[in-house]
Amino acid sequence: MSYSSRVETLNAAGAQACLAQAAAAADRLGLSVCVAVVDQAGQLLAFCRMDGAPTLSIQLAQDKAYTVTAFGLPTAQWYPMIADEPALLHGIVKADRLMIFGGGAPVKAGGQIIGAVGVSGGTSDQDGQIAAAGAAAASD
Amino acid sequence: MSYSSRVETLNAAGAQACLAQAAAAADRLGLSVCVAVVDQAGQLLAFCRMDGAPTLSIQLAQDKAYTVTAFGLPTAQWYPMIADEPALLHGIVKADRLMIFGGGAPVKAGGQIIGAVGVSGGTSDQDGQIAAAGAAAASD
Amino acid sequence: MSYSSRVETLNAAGAQACLAQAAAAADRLGLSVCVAVVDQAGQLLAFCRMDGAPTLSIQLAQDKAYTVTAFGLPTAQWYPMIADEPALLHGIVKADRLMIFGGGAPVKAGGQIIGAVGVSGGTSDQDGQIAAAGAAAASD
Amino acid sequence: MSYSSRVETLNAAGAQACLAQAAAAADRLGLSVCVAVVDQAGQLLAFCRMDGAPTLSIQLAQDKAYTVTAFGLPTAQWYPMIADEPALLHGIVKADRLMIFGGGAPVKAGGQIIGAVGVSGGTSDQDGQIAAAGAAAASD
């Protein structure tokens, strides 16, 4: 019987690639955002705040990235999943660092989540688009 | 006049029995969950995270078990109780560690709550079913 | 250039093996302790509180295990490392969850830390001995 | 009478310059560290965790940078300042996020602190050296 498992996790170079592509996507949209990149376990790897991004977004971006690795879904999938379940809608939102709107995207390799990108500063759709662009930079 | 009372509380052996039955119930449903067992005072007795369970569930499972002992109800009974009372619905959910959806079940002996099982990782219905199976292992 | 790394991490079966051996070691010493087992990233995998263990130990055991994975050393090595550096001795102890006395031991495979065992309830020497016995159960 | 003041504050480009020089200094020392850069108000601008840096350092690096802007001194100056004042030595260390050992360096322009660099992962001397190298990249 095996007592351990092998997991693939995003590294520093991958995180830089995500940051660069996310910032480029934000520039194309004319937006200033915060971008956070976490490893497979949700631990911070890299972060940047573009000039003009709201400081409220500093933590939100990190929490979005964390949420992706902690539950395995893009953050934009949370609200549709709980919209018709009022107990969850009212009750799970308080879970520590859980973000239920767009802006968190998984970085994937071989079908597994190896990290995540979280973006805050635009609308949730814009944040999600920027996060996806960032995540694509290190996904296979 | 007596200055003290006797409380019955789940012990380590009881907690292991709960964990085992909860894990078996999760296996029957094909789910990977976190299971927490607390004593009569809501203090952690035992915990296991099955391979593949979301890490977001680590705290949720513990909070569900805590909620049961802290108020004396299965967590699934909270939302129906407050759904038509907006002040509570919006106002009490922020209470520290309060979970208002399924997945927390009391362990009972002689009609008293002696501990609780909290489960997270499936839907709230599935979590509630697994928690009940776990709690039954140490209830009379 | 590679954007990810492979890490080995303790799984649920390994965590159970650690718990069982730690509990057996505590029994041999006639002690009641809390034992926590975390994965490579410091996230809780398994926990048990033996009957009679202090409830203060519930969190301490978890923090000891976390400390091992967060810095890569057995907790017992912290105090000797900072004893002659008063700025650290006074200043780093406040780091969130950092435990600087015995009771946290790494689980290792192939020379890498894949998880950790944290024990609280005895003296720090006893806790360290129990943690080491637990960690050995899943180390190569 | 003027009702407002002008503050100079590090921007995103300055933060990237600091990160790059800090990482280069860490490489020269053969160390893996976390580096955080904050603006004049102590708010996170940029962060990177080098491969192999301890995860305990994620928060420590940020707290060191914060401490610099929150009080106006390099973190290494704190311990000598309070070493002979036991009330402070025992009493102020608990201040939220205050770090009293090396690794936090101010970024200065025109004699003013416009931001800070915090480093964690080596000894406090090494961290301080790396932070100073990073801060120099955006100081005049």
Side-chain angles (χ1 to χ4, degrees):
Chain A
M1 172 172 244
S2 174
Y3 283 168
S4 66
S5 313
R6 192 160 291 175
V7 293
E8 197 76 16
T9 188
L10 192 64
N11 63 19
Q16 290 306 315
C18 294
L19 275 192
Q21 290 304 311
D27 277 336
R28 286 193 297 273
L29 292 167
L31 290 170
S32 287
V33 297
C34 290
V35 185
V37 185
V38 299
D39 65 17
Q40 172 270 341
Q43 302 174 120
L44 193 62
L45 268 173
F47 174 89
C48 73
R49 170 159 58 100
M50 297 169 71
D51 292 331
T55 52
L56 187 69
S57 295
I58 295 172
Q59 192 59 45
L60 294 178
Q62 296 180 59
D63 290 349
K64 287 180 183 179
Y66 167 79
T67 296
V68 172
T69 62
F71 199 73
L73 292 178
T75 56
Q77 295 187 16
W78 266 93
Y79 181 73
M81 185 169 66
I82 63 177
D84 297 327
E85 301 206 48
L88 283 175
L89 185 57
H90 288 89
I92 205 170
V93 175
K94 68 182 281 187
D96 197 29
R97 306 190 67 189
L98 177 63
M99 291 280 114
I100 64 162
F101 50 95
V107 180
K108 286 191 171 183
Q112 300 297 311
I113 295 180
I114 62 168
V117 179
V119 173
S120 177
T123 66
S124 54
D125 277 357
Q126 290 168 328
D127 290 346
Q129 186 176 336
I130 297 166
S139 295
D140 62 13
Chain B
M1 174 174 229
S2 171
Y3 282 168
S4 65
S5 311
R6 189 161 294 170
V7 293
E8 195 77 16
T9 187
L10 192 64
N11 63 16
Q16 291 306 315
C18 294
L19 275 192
Q21 289 305 311
D27 277 336
R28 285 192 298 273
L29 292 167
L31 290 171
S32 288
V33 297
C34 291
V35 185
V37 185
V38 299
D39 65 16
Q40 171 271 341
Q43 301 175 122
L44 193 64
L45 267 174
F47 174 89
C48 73
R49 170 158 56 102
M50 298 169 72
D51 292 329
T55 51
L56 187 72
S57 295
I58 295 173
Q59 192 60 46
L60 293 177
Q62 296 180 60
D63 290 350
K64 287 180 182 177
Y66 167 79
T67 296
V68 172
T69 62
F71 199 72
L73 291 178
T75 56
Q77 294 187 16
W78 266 92
Y79 179 73
M81 185 169 67
I82 63 178
D84 297 325
E85 301 206 50
L88 282 177
L89 183 56
H90 295 279
I92 204 169
V93 174
K94 68 181 282 190
D96 197 29
R97 305 190 67 189
L98 175 62
M99 290 280 115
I100 63 163
F101 49 94
V107 181
K108 287 190 171 184
Q112 299 298 310
I113 296 181
I114 61 168
V117 179
V119 173
S120 177
T123 66
S124 53
D125 278 356
Q126 291 168 328
D127 291 345
Q129 186 176 335
I130 296 166
S139 296
D140 61 14
Chain C
M1 171 169 244
S2 174
Y3 282 168
S4 66
S5 312
R6 190 161 294 173
V7 293
E8 197 77 16
T9 188
L10 193 64
N11 62 18
Q16 290 306 314
C18 293
L19 275 193
Q21 289 306 311
D27 277 335
R28 285 193 298 273
L29 292 167
L31 290 171
S32 288
V33 297
C34 291
V35 185
V37 185
V38 299
D39 64 18
Q40 171 271 340
Q43 302 174 119
L44 193 63
L45 268 173
F47 175 88
C48 72
R49 171 159 56 102
M50 297 169 71
D51 293 330
T55 52
L56 187 70
S57 295
I58 296 173
Q59 192 59 45
L60 294 179
Q62 296 180 60
D63 290 350
K64 287 180 183 178
Y66 166 79
T67 296
V68 172
T69 62
F71 199 73
L73 291 179
T75 56
Q77 294 188 16
W78 266 93
Y79 181 73
M81 185 168 66
I82 64 178
D84 297 327
E85 301 206 48
L88 283 175
L89 185 57
H90 287 90
I92 206 169
V93 175
K94 68 184 280 188
D96 197 29
R97 307 190 67 189
L98 177 61
M99 290 282 114
I100 65 162
F101 50 93
V107 181
K108 287 190 171 184
Q112 299 298 310
I113 295 180
I114 62 169
V117 179
V119 173
S120 178
T123 66
S124 53
D125 277 356
Q126 290 169 328
D127 291 346
Q129 185 176 336
I130 297 166
S139 296
D140 61 13
Chain D
M1 170 174 234
S2 172
Y3 283 169
S4 65
S5 312
R6 188 161 294 169
V7 293
E8 195 77 17
T9 187
L10 192 64
N11 63 17
Q16 290 306 314
C18 293
L19 275 192
Q21 289 306 311
D27 277 336
R28 285 193 297 273
L29 292 167
L31 290 171
S32 288
V33 298
C34 291
V35 184
V37 185
V38 300
D39 64 17
Q40 170 271 341
Q43 302 175 121
L44 192 64
L45 268 174
F47 174 89
C48 73
R49 170 159 56 103
M50 298 169 73
D51 293 329
T55 52
L56 187 72
S57 295
I58 295 173
Q59 192 60 45
L60 294 178
Q62 297 181 60
D63 290 350
K64 287 179 183 178
Y66 167 79
T67 296
V68 172
T69 62
F71 199 72
L73 291 179
T75 57
Q77 295 187 15
W78 266 92
Y79 178 72
M81 185 169 66
I82 63 177
D84 297 326
E85 300 205 50
L88 282 176
L89 183 57
H90 295 279
I92 204 169
V93 175
K94 67 181 281 190
D96 198 29
R97 306 189 67 190
L98 176 62
M99 290 279 115
I100 63 162
F101 49 94
V107 181
K108 288 190 170 183
Q112 300 297 311
I113 295 180
I114 61 168
V117 178
V119 173
S120 177
T123 66
S124 52
D125 278 356
Q126 291 168 328
D127 291 346
Q129 186 177 336
I130 296 166
S139 295
D140 61 14

